Amino acid sequence: QADVKLEAMRGLLRAQYKLDKFADAVPNAQELLQNKGAATDDKMIANLVLAKHSHAKNDLSLASGYYRNVVSLGKSEFAAEARYRLAEILFTQDKLAEAEKAALDVINKAGSYEYWITKSYILLGDVYFRQKDYFNAEATLRSVVENATIAELKAEAQQKLDKVIEEKNKNSKIGE
């Protein structure tokens, strides 16, 4: 009986996660975390759901705690996303040096999760751009445009690269 309930909770949580129904998933995620039979993977997705719900409500401190829980549970695509989201929160908070370090952490520790590694390179480009380091922003985003295999991320990098080049050109004319 208990294992059937656990399997149902697991299935429901995965469905809610895939459908981005994080608010609906919160009670299920909390209950799953309390379940003694919950596997590491269950705990990761439950913490990720709670993190995303808190993030959506702009409770960045709570979200960060849940994201750190995911990372502490081991390596997986969930952990790669959690690392990225931590870097993204730091960027949102304008903690640029920390955001840069966190993005590099994703790149170095996310293994083969290309989506999150590519997103992290784009975030690095954003960090450099906000720091007005147009040289590194351009180089980083150009590298993503040239090497990314995920079309949506290649397009995102291209849009940001265009802004960097436009800003760089504006600023070089000011100096003339």
Side-chain angles (χ1 to χ4, degrees), residues 138 141-142 145 157-166:
E138 181 179 356
L141 292 168
R142 188 175 303 284
V145 169
Q158 184 63 60
Q159 283 180 318
K160 291 179 181 216
L161 177 60
D162 293 344
K163 280 186 191 152
V164 169
I165 292 169
E166 181 184 332

Side-chain angles (χ1 to χ4, degrees), residues 7-34:
E7 204 51 49
M9 289 165 60
R10 200 177 267 150
L12 177 60
L13 191 64
R14 289 190 185 294
Q16 290 165 323
Y17 177 82
K18 290 277 187 213
L19 295 168
D20 292 339
K21 301 279 187 197
F22 304 116
D24 296 345
V26 165
N28 188 19
Q30 290 169 329
E31 192 178 348
L32 191 58
L33 285 173
Q34 299 304 313

